[in-house]
Amino acid sequence: MKKWMQGIALVYVLLLLGICVPRADSGNAQNDAGEALYLIRPKDKKEEAEKKLEQPKIALTFDDGPNAQFTPFLLDGLKERNVKATFFLIGKNIEAGSNAEIVKREWEEGHLVGNHTYNHVEITRVSNDTAYREIKATNDLIQGITGQPVEYMRPPFGLWQKKLEQKIHVLPVMWTVDPLDWATENEDEIVNKVVTEVEENDIILLHDCYKSSVRAALRIVDLLEAKGYQFVTVDELLLE
């Protein structure tokens, strides 16, 4: 009886330690006969969530799309990496071809979609009425696709007219890291400039209408994630 009780006690201890539970769960390691050898502890979701909160956040943004040739390739790469970005769209590009489907995909895959005017105009060089129409036209196009009002915009050339905020409710979004990717096809140059300059809470400016920029963007994601950065949409940075 004493030995039997000792055996029961040993099994109980092993169960508590999680090192010997011969079950048929698919998550258990098995021997050649298919018998479970031990129980794999589930990951601590709370610990993972806390770790993610501690990661420095940065935002990856793309102007001048959608582009029928390069934006889908970019979306494929971001989806593969489970990374969300922010896209500031030009109205006339949304209306080109079947680009509206690209906008729909951006939205459905969890990216933030914003306004970049209809014709990529410098809104400080046109009348307030013209600037308003430029913004509203693109807002209407985006909302017609996503079903949601547009809350963010990037004014072309980074020049904003404060008086417009009295007529249309969008928050202008600038940037802090600009590799001038539109001026070069050298991927390494784009990547190096971003990776060496970026810091926590930075907003990176790129364009999804150039092959070199899109390819560089995915390399940037891989390199910065390896450094511990977490990519978020700009609203997550601005609303903190």
Side-chain angles (χ1 to χ4, degrees), residues 34 37 49 64 70 76 81 94 137 188 205 220 228 237:
L37 298 178
D64 293 359
F70 301 122
D76 289 343
R81 293 161 174 78
I94 296 174
D188 292 337
L205 168 61
I220 288 167
L237 290 184

Side-chain angles (χ1 to χ4, degrees), residues 52-85:
K52 195 170 185 179
L53 286 173
E54 294 173 357
Q55 289 180 283
K57 296 178 181 179
I58 51 178
L60 192 60
T61 69
F62 297 92
D63 287 4
D64 293 359
N67 180 278
Q69 185 175 2
F70 301 122
T71 306
F73 176 79
L74 173 62
L75 291 173
D76 289 343
L78 294 175
K79 184 176 182 180
E80 180 183 346
R81 293 161 174 78
N82 193 30
V83 165
K84 308 306 178 188

Side-chain angles (χ1 to χ4, degrees), residues 18-225:
I19 59 175
C20 182
V21 181
R23 294 181 355 187
D25 292 350
S26 59
N28 291 347
Q30 298 179 338
N31 61 16
D32 293 339
E35 298 171 333
L37 298 178
Y38 59 87
L39 177 67
I40 299 176
R41 289 177 178 269
K43 292 183 178 179
D44 189 331
K45 293 184 178 180
K46 182 179 179 181
E47 183 179 339
E48 287 186 348
E50 289 176 349
K51 182 178 179 181
K52 195 170 185 179
L53 286 173
E54 294 173 357
Q55 289 180 283
K57 296 178 181 179
I58 51 178
L60 192 60
T61 69
F62 297 92
D63 287 4
D64 293 359
N67 180 278
Q69 185 175 2
F70 301 122
T71 306
F73 176 79
L74 173 62
L75 291 173
D76 289 343
L78 294 175
K79 184 176 182 180
E80 180 183 346
R81 293 161 174 78
N82 193 30
V83 165
K84 308 306 178 188
T86 302
F87 292 86
F88 293 104
L89 310 180
I90 293 177
K92 65 181 181 182
N93 288 346
I94 296 174
E95 292 187 308
S98 58
N99 284 354
E101 289 300 313
I102 299 176
V103 180
K104 182 180 179 182
R105 180 183 173 187
E106 290 173 346
W107 178 258
E108 290 179 344
E109 293 185 359
H111 304 289
L112 183 64
V113 179
N115 191 323
H116 200 43
T117 73
Y118 187 86
N119 289 295
H120 199 270
V121 298
E122 184 177 327
I123 55 179
T124 59
R125 289 182 174 271
V126 297
S127 68
N128 283 347
D129 287 341
T130 298
Y132 172 79
R133 288 194 297 271
E134 283 277 335
I135 298 169
K136 186 178 185 304
T138 302
N139 274 3
D140 291 345
L141 285 170
I142 295 172
Q143 184 168 352
I145 296 168
T146 67
Q148 299 295 322
V150 180
E151 298 180 346
Y152 300 91
M153 81 155 295
R154 171 164 287 157
F157 313 104
L159 299 173
W160 178 242
Q161 173 55 267
K162 287 286 291 184
K163 291 182 180 179
L164 289 171
E165 295 176 14
Q166 300 172 8
K167 296 187 66 175
I168 193 163
H169 301 292
V170 289
L171 182 65
V173 178
M174 303 306 177
W175 57 88
T176 54
V177 178
D178 181 6
L180 301 176
D181 60 313
W182 54 269
T184 179
E185 295 182 357
N186 188 321
E187 290 177 35
D188 292 337
E189 181 180 333
I190 299 169
V191 172
N192 290 337
K193 187 171 180 61
V194 172
V195 171
T196 57
E197 291 186 8
V198 75
E199 296 179 352
E200 184 174 4
N201 295 323
D202 270 338
I203 297 176
I204 302 167
L205 168 61
L206 291 167
H207 298 78
D208 56 326
C209 52
Y210 305 111
K211 180 179 180 180
S212 54
S213 298
V214 167
R215 289 171 60 90
L218 298 178
R219 290 173 56 189
I220 288 167
V221 169
D222 293 340
L223 289 169
L224 292 182
E225 281 194 327

